[in-house]
């Protein structure tokens, strides 16, 4: 059909419309290349100008320009390009196994058997017994009895058997009962955070209180939802401490701007700052939320990364809340946990959970509805959640190996955190608080004015400029503090302390040498 006859036919259809004669809009005719090899539309339908602008607004520093450049450098090294370093070290993200942390053997054994259940058949029992301990075989059989096939969709809320084990874990940890019907298994904690924020954000007047510095997941998700980040500041001079006075200041200032603050995010232990809240501080936070009618979102993914267990033990907000009496019975709390952190470090398997406390039934129905749209979290991630919350017990065949592997990772992290803290505090113009927990240090760096001017001339934040120079010189990828938020006029960077011990000497020496050269180059 010719272009003219197409238009004639459309005009005729418009005249036949009973309610809106002659109002059918004329089609926009796209022209195509006449070349048979290049039948492409001359203009794109979706562009960065007409796409969802909230997506464009979102920023995620830990996977931003520095991380992208680090991947380019990896590719150059793989092609044999000569660079000032032999390896790119990704300290930009808490990804333990990318930096050679060994997986827990029992966890991988069970996961392997679930993945290939042929080994569990009676005819293969002798061969399986030579390869796997009896408790790994028994656990895999139990899981598969409750799962079926790992290749099949599970319950949208997560496999009931595994949710029951999560509830048991929470009950034993806190001393208060947990209800499996209020637990959702997720694709890592991040998916749980995104889902629950989606529930809370009603319109563009809604605000969510987030710590500064914060993990960029929160600001990125709020940007996509067109919601307001309501910042409250941690006090670097007091070990990244938090006061309810600061929380109230933040809440009140947002209210004056017409922001409807609905929730408070607490990251404990802290990311990127590594602080661990005291029990009394946590009670004050619960009381603040109760007084101001704010939902508490407790990001507790680093709960086993506690490096001063006597002075700063981990307490869950669920435990603190339940100990505060009937006045808080209707308090609304959502808590998150993940297999990506701790001594498990199974980031790529994407497993986690969140527990809801005090939410009304109608909201729980909507959470289930939204969860079911995605069908289910991946089953191997759910299996790893089960193993995290229910590892080998004393007396089990695998307990000795499990305990040794767990302790080796744990005590090595304590040692590496101290080594890196000492190294940062030894750099000119650099100060660093210790890590009570988590996987990161967040030192402040005081850069020469000449370096700050060079950064501005390059269109970069000073700490980003410093981190990029470090990457190009040493292959070490860190994240600029400006990506997490910081007090105006200060500069920071975040580094994991995940590089393995055998790399640490070379790793620290490279940073020291780079820093000295950088400071000399830009000395005022």
């Amino acid at each position: 059909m010719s272009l003219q006859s197409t238009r004639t036919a459309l005009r005729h259809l418009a005249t036949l419309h009973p309610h809106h004669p002659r109002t059918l809009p004329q089609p926009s005719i796209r022209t195509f290349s006449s070349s048979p090899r290049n039948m492409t539309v001359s203009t794109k339908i979706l562009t960065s100008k007409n796409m969802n602008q909230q997506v464009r607004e979102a920023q995620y520093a830990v996977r931003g320009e520095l991380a992208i450049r680090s991947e380019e450098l990896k590719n150059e090294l793989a092609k044999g390009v000569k660079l000032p370093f032999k390896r790119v070290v990704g300290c930009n993200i808490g990804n333990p196994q990318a930096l050679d942390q060994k997986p827990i053997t029992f966890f991988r054994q069970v996961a392997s058997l679930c993945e290939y259940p042929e080994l569990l058949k009676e005819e293969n029992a002798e061969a399986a017994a030579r390869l796997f301990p009896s408790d790994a075989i028994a656990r895999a059989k139990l899981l598969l009895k409750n799962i079926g096939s790992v290749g099949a969709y599970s319950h949208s809320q997560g496999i009931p058997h595994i949710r029951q084990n999560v509830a048991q874990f929470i009950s034993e940890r806190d001393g208060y009962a947990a209800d499996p019907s209020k637990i959702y298994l997720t694709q890592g904690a991040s998916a749980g955070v995104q889902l629950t924020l989606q529930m809370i954000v009603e319109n563009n007047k809604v605000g969510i209180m987030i710590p500064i510095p914060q993990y960029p997941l929160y600001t990125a998700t709020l940007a996509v939802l067109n919601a307001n980040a309501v910042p409250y500041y941690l006090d670097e001079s007091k070990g990244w401490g938090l006061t309810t006075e600061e929380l109230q200041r933040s809440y009140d200032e947002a209210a004056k701007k017409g922001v409807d603050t609905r929730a408070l995010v607490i990251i404990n232990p802290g990311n990127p700052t590594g602080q661990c809240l005291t029990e009394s501080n946590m009670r004050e936070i619960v009381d603040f939320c109760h007084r101001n009618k704010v939902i508490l979102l407790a990001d507790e993914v680093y709960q086993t990364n506690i490096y001063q267990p006597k002075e700063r033990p981990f307490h869950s907000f669920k435990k603190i809340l339940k100990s505060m009496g009937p006045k808080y019975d209707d308090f609304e709390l959502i808590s998150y946990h993940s297999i990506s952190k701790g001594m498990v470090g199974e980031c790529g398997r994407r497993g986690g959970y969140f527990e809801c406390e005090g939410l009304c039934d109608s909201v729980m129905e909507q959470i289930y509805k939204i969860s079911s749209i995605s069908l289910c979290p991946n089953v191997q991630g759910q299996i790893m959640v089960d193993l995290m919350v229910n590892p080998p017990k004393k007396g089990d065949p695998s307990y000795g190996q499990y305990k040794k592997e767990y302790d080796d990772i744990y005590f090595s992290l304590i040692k590496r955190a101290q080594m890196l803290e000492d190294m940062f505090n030894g750099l000119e113009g650099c100060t660093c608080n210790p890590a009570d927990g988590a996987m990161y240090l967040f030192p402040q760096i005081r850069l020469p004015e000449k370096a700050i001017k060079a950064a501005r001339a390059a269109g970069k934040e000073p700490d980003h400029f410093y981190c990029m120079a470090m990457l190009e010189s040493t292959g070490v990828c860190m994240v600029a503090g400006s990506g997490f938020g910081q007090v105006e006029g200060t500069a920071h960077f975040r580094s994991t302390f995940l590089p393995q011990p055998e790399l640490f000497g070379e790793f620290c020496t490279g940073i020291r040498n780079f820093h000295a050269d950088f400071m000399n180059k830009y000395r005022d």
Side-chain angles (χ1 to χ4, degrees), residues 135-202:
D135 53 345
I137 292 171
R139 176 67 72 85
K141 286 181 176 179
L142 177 62
L143 282 166
L144 289 175
K145 179 183 176 182
N146 286 279
I147 294 170
S149 169
V150 297
Y153 291 133
S154 77
H155 191 288
S156 294
Q157 195 170 343
I159 296 158
H161 170 76
I162 297 177
R163 283 190 283 119
Q164 181 64 56
N165 284 340
V166 172
Q168 183 66 27
F169 160 78
I170 294 170
S171 300
E172 292 174 358
R173 182 195 66 189
D174 297 340
Y176 297 94
D179 182 350
S181 71
K182 296 180 180 179
I183 293 167
Y184 278 75
L185 304 184
T186 55
Q187 304 260 91
S190 297
V193 168
Q194 291 166 328
L195 186 154
T196 48
L197 285 175
Q198 188 179 0
M199 292 292 109
I200 294 167
V201 175
E202 181 185 8

Side-chain angles (χ1 to χ4, degrees), residues 252-267:
D252 291 344
E253 284 192 6
K256 290 175 184 176
K257 297 174 183 176
V259 175
D260 175 15
T261 300
R262 296 275 183 91
L264 166 67
V265 173
I266 298 285
I267 308 174

Side-chain angles (χ1 to χ4, degrees), residues 313-389:
F314 171 78
H315 300 284
S316 75
F317 269 103
K318 165 83 174 287
K319 174 185 173 182
I320 298 299
L321 171 64
K322 290 298 184 181
S323 72
M324 292 177 70
K327 176 182 176 182
Y328 300 90
D329 282 352
D330 293 328
F331 190 92
E332 292 164 77
L333 166 69
I334 305 174
S335 307
Y336 311 90
H337 196 14
S338 169
I339 65 171
S340 298
K341 311 306 177 187
M343 275 35 78
V344 182
E346 292 279 5
C347 304
R349 291 179 184 268
R350 309 310 299 134
Y353 70 81
F354 65 88
E355 181 190 20
C356 302
E357 187 68 37
L359 270 61
C360 70
D361 291 343
S362 61
V363 170
M364 295 300 292
E365 290 171 4
Q366 297 304 312
I367 291 175
Y368 180 78
K369 179 183 75 177
I370 292 298
S371 297
S372 62
I373 291 172
S374 299
L375 297 175
C376 72
N378 83 78
V379 173
Q380 272 289 7
Q382 295 185 61
I383 288 171
M384 200 57 62
V385 169
D386 184 84
L387 295 164
M388 175 182 72
V389 300

Side-chain angles (χ1 to χ4, degrees), residues 60 62 190 211 213-219 267 271-272 299 484 494:
Y60 190 64
V62 297
S190 297
Q214 55 95 33
Y215 179 48
L217 164 68
Y218 293 97
T219 46
I267 308 174
N271 176 9
D299 182 336
F484 298 89
R494 187 191 78 166

Side-chain angles (χ1 to χ4, degrees), residues 388-454:
M388 175 182 72
V389 300
N390 187 21
K393 304 290 192 297
K394 191 174 288 188
D396 292 346
S398 295
Y399 178 75
Q401 183 178 18
Y402 164 77
K403 184 72 164 60
K404 182 180 186 307
E405 290 173 346
Y406 188 100
D407 286 351
D408 284 350
I409 295 169
Y410 176 72
F411 289 109
S412 178
L413 283 171
I414 293 175
K415 183 178 179 181
R416 283 176 274 166
Q418 187 63 60
M419 288 173 63
L420 198 58
E421 178 197 336
D422 291 344
M423 190 271 288
F424 285 145
N425 279 319
L427 300 180
E428 179 187 353
C430 191
T431 54
C432 183
N433 281 319
D436 297 331
M439 294 178 172
Y440 317 99
L441 291 169
F442 197 66
Q444 181 174 170
I445 181 169
R446 295 154 187 85
L447 296 171
E449 188 62 31
K450 194 174 176 182
I452 294 171
K453 288 179 179 178

Side-chain angles (χ1 to χ4, degrees), residues 275-293:
Q275 85 286 0
C276 192
L277 295 173
T278 64
E279 188 173 352
S280 60
N281 200 185
M282 294 172 75
R283 291 178 184 278
E284 292 171 349
I285 291 166
V286 169
D287 190 59
F288 164 84
C289 291
H290 186 260
R291 282 187 285 106
N292 291 281
K293 300 188 182 305

